[in-house]
Amino acid sequence: MFGLGLKKRNKTDLRDTPIPEGHHLLEVNDLKMYFHTQDGVVKAVNGVSYTLDRGETLGVVGESGSGKSVTSLTIMGLIDMPPGKVEGGDVLYRGKSLINMSEAELESVRGNDIAMIFQDPMTSLNPVYTIGRQLSEGMRLHKGLSKKEALDRSVELLRMVGIPNAEQRVKEYPHEFSGGMRQRVMIAMALACEPDILIADEPTTALDVTIQAQIIELMQELQHKNGNAIIMITHDLGVVADIADKIMVMYAGSPVEFGSALEIFYEPMHPYTWGLNRSIPKQVQDEKKPLTPIKGNPPSLVDLPDGCPFSPRCPYATDLCRTQKPPTHVTKTGHYSKCHYSNDEQFVQANAPKTNRVKPGDIVPERGVDA
């Protein structure tokens, strides 16, 4: 992120390439990214698969260490290898493998066709260059803009993400911005070239609730205008509740449940997803109640349990769960869950939590009025 040496613009833009018949905008096929360390092999990403089309939003949800960010960094080609190594699978963008691209080819894709809002703006911004110079780099490199054109566009982008006095702030350095302001700069940088796919890694973590809503609304507006796809990475199911078309729930490096947003919220099948749902604070409640946490800690990715990786923390785990890997149960709609008991309708109905969120299309009664 710190190098600002501009190279000759690569005129090849994969966005101009039509998506081959039978393919999607982005296809992640059984991706495996392992890290070879002195302590052993860390299976950070272990069998992730999904597809994404233009205009779609995918929410990727899970606790810290579940493999959410590493999956996206692998897509972007930003994992150091070694110690990282792609042990299997592939990532196709418009039918072309990103895994097999050269570094020069990836440079023409990163920031232009696929852009990422990084989680930590303090380590992603260069402290010795102005905000304007850093915002301008991608536009000069990928779009061929002049220095003045790129600077004018940088001012426009800062205004777009809600930074006041943009003409002056564009001349300032990262240390002169608050944490929330730096996060907004990173969002502006990712949006600069109007990418085909926007990967947002906890994009609203450092922002207050009001600004969170503004940023999410901005991303949705740009998606509606440009038709781009969004991958929203978060540990909070509530963040993706209203914006995601489909949600992938990850645990210990692997997806444990995948489905439409409606299915994940109103028809969840995996006990881990149930735990995430229960941990969402209720918007309105008449009495004070403690939040319901998921007890225990995620397992070591070097030494995963023999059976289901969630079994040590699962309140419903049996000897079968502790000794055998769970099968993948898939419904007719493509909603799937990796749990031994997901196909037991009686078990799911008896234990799945009832969400407090209003289902789209339902009429919300006023408080104090009988429904």
Side-chain angles (χ1 to χ4, degrees):
M1 292 297 296
F2 282 177
L4 287 178
L6 290 175
K7 300 178 183 179
K8 186 176 180 180
R9 183 189 176 209
N10 188 332
K11 294 183 180 180
T12 302
D13 192 339
L14 286 180
R15 272 183 295 186
D16 299 331
T17 305
I19 300 173
E21 188 176 350
H23 284 273
H24 300 268
L25 178 65
L26 183 71
E27 300 170 56
V28 180
N29 301 318
D30 196 25
L31 184 63
K32 297 177 182 178
M33 169 61 77
Y34 295 174
F35 292 91
H36 296 263
T37 71
Q38 292 181 343
D39 295 327
V41 179
V42 179
K43 297 178 180 179
V45 177
N46 195 18
V48 171
S49 298
Y50 62 82
T51 62
L52 193 63
D53 291 308
R54 285 185 58 76
E56 281 190 330
T57 298
L58 168 69
V60 183
V61 183
E63 294 169 284
S64 296
S66 61
K68 309 183 303 295
S69 296
V70 176
T71 300
S72 294
L73 290 171
T74 304
I75 292 171
M76 296 286 288
L78 293 174
I79 298 291
D80 289 333
M81 293 188 278
K85 184 180 179 182
V86 177
E87 297 284 355
D90 203 355
V91 179
L92 302 179
Y93 169 59
R94 291 185 173 269
K96 188 169 183 179
S97 172
L98 295 177
I99 299 298
N100 295 326
M101 279 187 181
S102 66
E103 181 59 28
E105 289 176 309
L106 279 173
E107 284 182 0
S108 69
V109 172
R110 283 195 294 254
N112 184 36
D113 301 320
I114 306 176
M116 187 167 179
I117 302 170
F118 293 91
Q119 189 171 357
D120 186 0
M122 196 60 190
T123 58
S124 301
L125 292 169
N126 193 318
V128 301
Y129 291 112
T130 64
I131 292 298
R133 182 170 177 181
Q134 296 183 65
L135 278 171
S136 297
E137 180 190 15
M139 293 180 283
R140 294 182 65 192
L141 176 65
H142 296 300
K143 299 296 184 183
L145 299 186
S146 67
K147 186 175 181 179
K148 183 180 185 307
E149 289 172 333
L151 192 60
D152 289 344
R153 172 64 175 158
S154 297
V155 172
E156 183 183 334
L157 286 164
L158 290 185
R159 288 199 192 108
M160 191 185 300
V161 295
I163 294 180
N165 196 17
E167 295 86 350
Q168 177 59 37
R169 303 308 299 270
V170 80
K171 302 173 186 176
E172 297 177 356
Y173 293 85
H175 73 271
E176 298 178 89
F177 286 68
S178 67
M181 288 290 190
R182 283 194 292 265
Q183 186 64 59
R184 289 193 236 183
V185 170
M186 290 303 302
I187 293 168
M189 191 177 294
L191 298 174
C193 294
E194 298 181 342
D196 225 0
I197 300 171
L198 177 64
I199 301 174
D201 189 357
E202 304 275 8
T204 58
T205 298
L207 307 178
D208 60 55
V209 176
T210 304
I211 301 301
Q212 281 185 26
Q214 291 175 3
I215 292 300
I216 290 174
E217 185 178 354
L218 171 62
M219 292 168 60
Q220 289 179 297
E221 287 176 1
L222 292 172
Q223 183 182 46
H224 181 72
K225 174 186 173 184
N226 303 322
N228 61 287
I230 296 175
I231 300 174
M232 176 73 80
I233 301 170
T234 180
H235 61 274
D236 185 356
L237 260 177
V239 170
V240 296
D242 299 318
I243 67 168
D245 299 298
K246 47 193 180 183
I247 296 174
M248 178 171 67
V249 180
M250 291 191 67
Y251 186 78
S254 301
V256 294
E257 186 164 6
F258 186 97
S260 69
L262 290 177
E263 288 169 332
I264 296 299
F265 275 97
Y266 301 103
E267 301 171 13
M269 298 189 294
H270 198 284
Y272 180 61
T273 309
W274 300 348
L276 293 177
N277 267 313
R278 289 191 179 106
S279 67
I280 300 174
K282 292 185 178 180
Q283 295 176 340
V284 177
Q285 56 183 29
D286 296 324
E287 57 181 296
K288 293 182 179 180
K289 293 181 179 179
L291 297 177
T292 306
I294 301 175
K295 295 181 180 180
N297 296 306
S300 166
L301 298 180
V302 176
D303 185 23
L304 291 169
D306 293 331
C308 172
F310 187 57
S311 60
R313 306 173 69 189
C314 181
Y316 313 103
T318 64
D319 289 340
L320 175 66
C321 304
R322 300 182 187 97
T323 56
Q324 295 184 27
K325 297 290 183 186
T328 301
H329 172 64
V330 187
T331 69
K332 294 179 180 178
T333 63
H335 177 196
Y336 72 75
S337 169
K338 294 181 180 179
C339 173
H340 287 288
Y341 301 104
S342 288
N343 61 346
D344 185 337
E345 292 186 13
Q346 187 175 355
F347 169 78
V348 172
Q349 290 177 2
N351 296 293
K354 301 297 184 288
T355 181
N356 57 7
R357 296 190 65 85
V358 177
K359 196 170 185 177
D362 287 354
I363 299 174
V364 184
E366 294 183 11
R367 296 193 68 189
V369 178
D370 291 336

